[in-house]
């Protein structure tokens, strides 16, 4: 142990004693970026104090230790900064991902709504087409029934007319026959009368 070792060890013990309450509170907080920033600041202060003491004491080992501690603090600061940047990038990426998922959900909802609307429109068109087809079929059936009824009425009317014509013809034939019979009877009567007259003339003569 040299003469420089004693003040170096005393300085180290003093600095540890000064940091002890802060390090205890940082341990209770459970870490995090804020705790890391505070610890980094303490490390820089300690490195500065060690460097200043080394200059006053002319202790090259203490000066090297202070330089190593500053370099380590710089590295931790850079790592902390990079980690913070990485976390911010990750947060931005998560935000973009959440926004993309939300937009995708909105697109899917719009697509589902459009599909449902198209399905309902197709169903309405199909129902309208069926309704028009049914109405057309009913009109055709009604027209067919009316045409059939009209045809039956015309056939019945023609049959009735033909029957009347037949009856008229038959009546006319009977009338002609009656007249012929009457004429024949008259002829026979006249012939009989003539024969009787002729016989009377013979007898009387």
């Amino acid at each position: 142990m040299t003469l420089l070792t004693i003040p170096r060890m005393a300085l180290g013990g003093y600095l540890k004693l000064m940091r002890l309450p802060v390090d205890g509170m940082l341990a209770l907080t459970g870490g995090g970026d804020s705790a890391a920033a505070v610890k980094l600041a303490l490390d820089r202060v300690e490195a500065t104090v060690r460097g200043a003491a080394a200059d006053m004491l002319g202790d090259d080992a203490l000066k090297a230790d202070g330089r190593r501690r500053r370099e380590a603090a710089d590295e931790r600061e850079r790592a902390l900064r990079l980690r913070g940047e990485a976390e911010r990038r990750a947060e931005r990426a998560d935000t973009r991902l959440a926004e993309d998922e939300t937009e995708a959900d909105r697109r899917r909802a719009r697509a589902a709504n459009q599909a449902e609307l198209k399905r309902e429109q197709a169903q309405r068109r199909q129902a309208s087409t069926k309704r028009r087809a049914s109405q057309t079929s009913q009109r055709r059936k009604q027209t067919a029934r009316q045409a059939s009824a009209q045809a039956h009425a015309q056939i019945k009317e023609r049959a009735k007319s033909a029957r009347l014509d037949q009856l008229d013809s038959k009546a006319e034939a009977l009338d002609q026959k009656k007249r012929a019979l009457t004429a024949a009877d008259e002829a026979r009567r006249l012939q009989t009368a003539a024969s009787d007259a002729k016989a009377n003339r013979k007898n009387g003569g």
Side-chain angles (χ1 to χ4, degrees):
M1 179 179 296
T2 64
L3 292 176
L4 294 176
T5 304
I6 296 173
R8 189 188 307 158
M9 293 176 60
L11 179 64
Y14 174 75
L15 291 175
K16 287 182 179 179
L17 183 62
M18 293 297 294
R19 289 189 56 159
L20 186 61
V22 179
D23 288 337
M25 286 188 296
L26 293 177
L28 291 176
T29 60
D33 290 341
S34 298
V38 172
K39 187 176 184 303
L40 180 62
L42 290 175
D43 290 342
R44 285 190 178 282
V45 170
E46 183 177 349
T48 302
V49 171
R50 285 178 182 273
D55 289 338
M56 288 187 298
L57 297 173
D59 189 343
D60 292 337
L62 187 60
K63 185 181 293 186
D65 183 54
R67 185 174 60 253
R68 286 193 301 272
R69 288 177 183 272
R70 283 194 302 271
E71 291 173 353
D74 291 340
E75 287 297 322
R76 286 197 297 273
E77 182 182 12
R78 190 170 70 88
L80 186 62
R81 186 176 63 254
L82 291 176
R83 187 177 67 183
E85 180 63 24
E87 289 176 354
R88 287 190 293 272
R89 289 181 180 177
E91 288 176 359
R92 289 195 295 269
D94 290 341
T95 301
R96 286 196 299 270
L97 179 61
E99 291 174 351
D100 292 342
E101 289 178 350
T102 301
E103 180 61 24
D105 290 339
R106 284 196 293 265
R107 286 197 297 268
R108 283 193 293 269
R110 286 196 298 270
N113 290 335
Q114 291 175 355
E116 180 65 18
L117 179 61
K118 289 181 179 179
R119 187 180 66 82
E120 291 177 355
Q121 290 174 346
Q123 288 179 346
R124 286 195 295 269
R125 286 195 298 270
Q126 185 178 9
S128 178
T129 301
K130 287 183 177 180
R131 186 170 56 253
R132 288 196 300 270
S134 177
Q135 292 173 350
T136 301
S137 176
Q138 290 177 358
R139 285 196 298 270
R140 288 177 179 174
K141 289 179 180 179
Q142 181 65 24
T143 302
R145 285 194 294 268
Q146 291 175 351
S148 177
Q150 186 175 2
H152 283 304
Q154 290 175 352
I155 292 171
K156 187 175 181 181
E157 185 65 27
R158 284 197 295 268
K160 182 178 179 181
S161 178
R163 178 64 176 167
L164 289 175
D165 291 342
Q166 184 180 7
L167 290 176
D168 289 343
S169 297
K170 188 173 182 179
E172 185 178 356
L174 290 174
D175 187 57
Q176 290 177 356
K177 185 176 181 180
K178 183 178 178 182
R179 287 197 299 270
L181 291 173
T182 302
D185 289 342
E186 183 65 19
R188 282 195 298 273
R189 187 183 65 77
L190 291 174
Q191 185 177 4
T192 301
S195 295
D196 291 341
K198 185 177 180 180
N200 288 331
R201 283 195 302 270
K202 279 185 178 181
N203 292 331

